[in-house]
Amino acid sequence: LLQKAQSARDEFHSLLFFLIHHTFILQEQSTWWPYLNLLPTIFNQKNAHPLWFNTDQLDFLAGSDLRNRILNYQKKVSQTYASLLNDPDVVRALSPVFTFDHYMWAHSILDARSIWWDGKRHLVPLLDFVNCEASKDIHSVHESSSDTTGKYVETKARKNVLAGEQVFEDYGQPNHIYFLYHGFILDNNLHDCALIDDLSISSDGQVYSVGEKSRRRLHVNGFNNLNPSFCIKSGASSELDNLANFLRIKRNIPGDNIGITDDICQEVVDVIKLRLRRYIVDNYTDEEI
């Protein structure tokens, strides 16, 4: 089964199948059991990870584009599990432990705890127990890298640590990523930004022709799909410019890679204003928003 996943270049599921096999089949017989036995349980994950959240819990995010992103995340994971149930190799290798709860648990563990280097994810005992803390230096982000032999990987602390002091890392991500895959957010996160999603060219109840011209413009402006997301940050204009470039294509307004100018400014304002209104209970005017 692992060879099949690897030959399909599905490294995520190679690791996921390995994790399920060692955790729920081998259990104490696994070499990795001392580590596996320390991981959050299914009960822990159901109460802490957004992959498990129900619609009542997600309603607290009703004003944010993150709510739909979590729903799409849950849907994709559920569909992948249903597809794998039709794979006889998966069923034969992991039955009877290949349950929906076990799959969800393994998926959420990998999403929350993977350590990356050389473009690949890994589970690293103990290193993945290092918690996240917001740094005062935006460039102080954790990094793991392999040495020249490829046998060892090094992760350096971002500051001196005293004996007995807890070690922290700055994962270097905005809060919507932290919440989506880890279930937490940070105060004073220098990497944070406002997520703007769901601006598909065929959204807003209108049908736009996605012809060759529009696809060419998407490519010219650096977009590789019809529904890109944007992360707007105070003091950084580049993402606002990207948003403006996409809205021009969406509304069939001429001009490529020119950012925010008078021709698209109101469209950008309307997108942001719509999202601000979702959070506001009182009747504020457009000018007050």
Side-chain angles (χ1 to χ4, degrees):
L1 178 61
L2 293 179
Q3 290 178 344
K4 180 178 179 178
Q6 289 168 354
S7 64
R9 297 187 177 180
D10 188 352
E11 295 175 351
F12 179 87
H13 279 93
S14 293
L15 195 53
L16 183 143
F17 295 148
F18 182 90
L19 180 59
I20 289 178
H21 178 74
H22 280 257
T23 304
F24 300 109
I25 294 180
L26 294 183
Q27 299 183 9
E28 291 90 344
Q29 298 177 20
S30 170
T31 304
W32 303 103
W33 183 249
Y35 162 69
L36 299 173
N37 198 37
L38 293 174
L39 292 176
T41 64
I42 291 175
F43 176 81
N44 297 145
Q45 293 298 85
K46 282 186 175 181
N47 287 279
H49 198 284
L51 188 57
W52 303 79
F53 286 1
N54 59 39
T55 53
D56 288 338
Q57 292 170 303
L58 291 178
D59 281 346
F60 287 102
L61 294 170
S64 173
D65 284 353
L66 181 58
R67 183 180 187 276
N68 280 340
R69 181 170 284 201
I70 293 174
L71 288 171
N72 290 332
Y73 172 41
Q74 293 175 338
K75 181 180 178 181
K76 180 180 179 181
V77 172
S78 297
Q79 289 175 338
T80 303
Y81 173 74
S83 176
L84 289 170
L85 281 180
N86 295 318
D87 188 325
D89 292 328
V90 173
V91 174
R92 182 166 50 251
L94 296 177
S95 181
V97 301
F98 194 65
T99 65
F100 185 61
D101 273 1
H102 288 169
Y103 181 78
M104 290 273 283
W105 172 84
H107 208 295
S108 62
I109 288 293
L110 292 181
D111 286 338
R113 310 182 75 86
S114 291
I115 309 296
W116 291 79
W117 66 83
D118 295 341
K120 298 180 180 179
R121 72 169 69 231
H122 308 77
L123 277 182
V124 184
L126 298 184
L127 180 58
D128 67 344
F129 284 91
V130 178
N131 286 323
C132 185
E133 181 182 64
S135 170
K136 295 180 180 179
D137 178 5
I138 197 168
H139 300 294
S140 181
V141 177
H142 84 100
E143 181 181 1
S144 297
S145 57
S146 56
D147 66 3
T148 55
T149 68
K151 294 181 179 180
Y152 303 99
V153 173
E154 182 178 72
T155 301
K156 294 183 179 180
R158 58 184 171 87
K159 62 179 182 180
N160 293 330
V161 181
L162 299 176
E165 183 182 0
Q166 183 174 352
V167 177
F168 289 98
E169 293 178 335
D170 187 335
Y171 298 171
Q173 299 290 340
N175 276 342
H176 69 266
I177 295 295
Y178 288 150
F179 192 81
L180 178 64
Y181 295 118
H182 303 269
F184 68 83
I185 60 173
L186 296 178
D187 293 330
N188 304 315
N189 180 7
L190 296 178
H191 304 279
D192 200 20
C193 54
L195 174 67
I196 295 183
D197 249 346
D198 300 325
L199 289 177
S200 173
I201 285 183
S202 58
S203 65
D204 300 337
Q206 302 179 49
V207 178
Y208 292 88
S209 174
V210 188
E212 183 59 32
K213 179 181 177 181
S214 294
R215 294 186 184 279
R216 185 167 59 251
R217 290 189 67 192
L218 286 167
H219 177 73
V220 167
N221 286 270
F223 303 111
N224 56 17
N225 63 71
L226 301 178
N227 188 23
S229 61
F230 303 90
C231 214
I232 308 302
K233 187 174 183 179
S234 176
S237 61
S238 60
E239 273 295 86
L240 276 175
D241 285 335
N242 288 335
L243 175 59
N245 291 334
F246 181 77
L247 289 175
R248 253 188 218 93
I249 302 170
K250 178 179 172 69
R251 303 303 185 193
N252 198 25
I253 298 173
D256 293 314
N257 282 321
I258 57 177
I260 294 183
T261 53
D262 290 343
D263 63 324
I264 200 66
C265 187
Q266 188 58 50
E267 296 280 355
V268 173
V269 170
D270 289 344
V271 165
I272 296 174
K273 190 182 298 182
L274 172 64
R275 283 151 179 80
L276 288 175
R277 279 197 176 280
R278 295 175 184 169
Y279 291 101
I280 296 174
V281 177
D282 298 322
N283 292 321
Y284 286 95
T285 66
D286 285 353
E287 289 73 19
E288 289 172 322
I289 292 176

